[in-house]
Amino acid sequence: MPSDLLAGRLDHAATPFARLTIALAAVHAVPATEIRTARTADLNLARGTLELRRGLLRHTLYLEELTHHLAADWLTYRHQRWPASANPHLLVSQKTALDPDHPALHRNTLQQVLPKGSQRIKVLLRVLRLVVVI
């Protein structure tokens, strides 16, 4: 995604949750399912990595400066807002943060932030390919 378009999307994102979600989807093309199920323990800010679980396999995502900064901001916000949260998922909402069953985010929560369906991800990937070629 062109940097000016990404900056515009991030400027309109009202929360650290939305900004990190947009960065993971737009910059790293992480599918919504993997964003929902990412775990806090799999984020290593010292190394600048996020391990994504893909079935029995794991994929290491190397965070560039922007996403690294947004992930750190989200963790600070999350800890300040829900200091007692034991939910292992990286992204939580008001409903899931303190739920004793530790559920992942509901897909509707992400749909409020991301464009609908995988078509958006395909469009973002197409734009990224154009930027790389130019």
Side-chain angles (χ1 to χ4, degrees):
M1 173 177 275
S3 59
D4 57 337
L5 184 58
L6 177 60
R9 292 246 184 232
L10 291 174
D11 287 343
H12 286 85
T15 64
F17 169 87
R19 287 189 285 277
L20 179 57
T21 302
I22 290 168
L24 289 173
V27 175
H28 298 281
V30 178
T33 302
E34 291 180 16
I35 293 173
R36 288 180 49 238
T37 58
R39 295 182 172 259
T40 304
D42 294 337
L43 176 65
N44 185 333
L45 290 176
R47 288 182 45 213
T49 61
L50 174 63
E51 281 193 16
L52 299 172
R53 298 165 189 245
R54 294 180 174 168
L56 297 176
L57 303 175
R58 293 194 179 206
H59 173 76
T60 302
L61 187 70
Y62 294 93
L63 306 177
E64 89 305 330
E65 185 178 351
L66 172 66
T67 308
H68 185 277
H69 178 72
L70 295 173
D73 287 350
W74 164 250
L75 288 179
T76 300
Y77 176 82
R78 176 188 161 142
H79 180 70
Q80 289 172 348
R81 177 123 187 225
W82 303 290
S85 177
N87 190 317
H89 294 94
L90 177 60
L91 295 174
V92 295
S93 66
Q94 186 172 352
K95 291 181 180 180
T96 64
L98 300 174
D99 189 317
D101 294 330
H102 308 302
L105 286 171
H106 193 275
R107 64 179 176 268
N108 291 342
T109 305
L110 284 186
Q111 287 176 352
Q112 295 171 2
V113 176
L114 297 175
K116 295 183 180 182
S118 61
Q119 190 61 30
R120 173 174 171 115
I121 297 298
K122 290 177 185 174
V123 170
L124 293 174
L125 287 173
R126 215 174 299 127
V127 170
L128 283 172
R129 284 189 201 113
L130 289 174
V131 171
V132 172
V133 172
I134 295 173

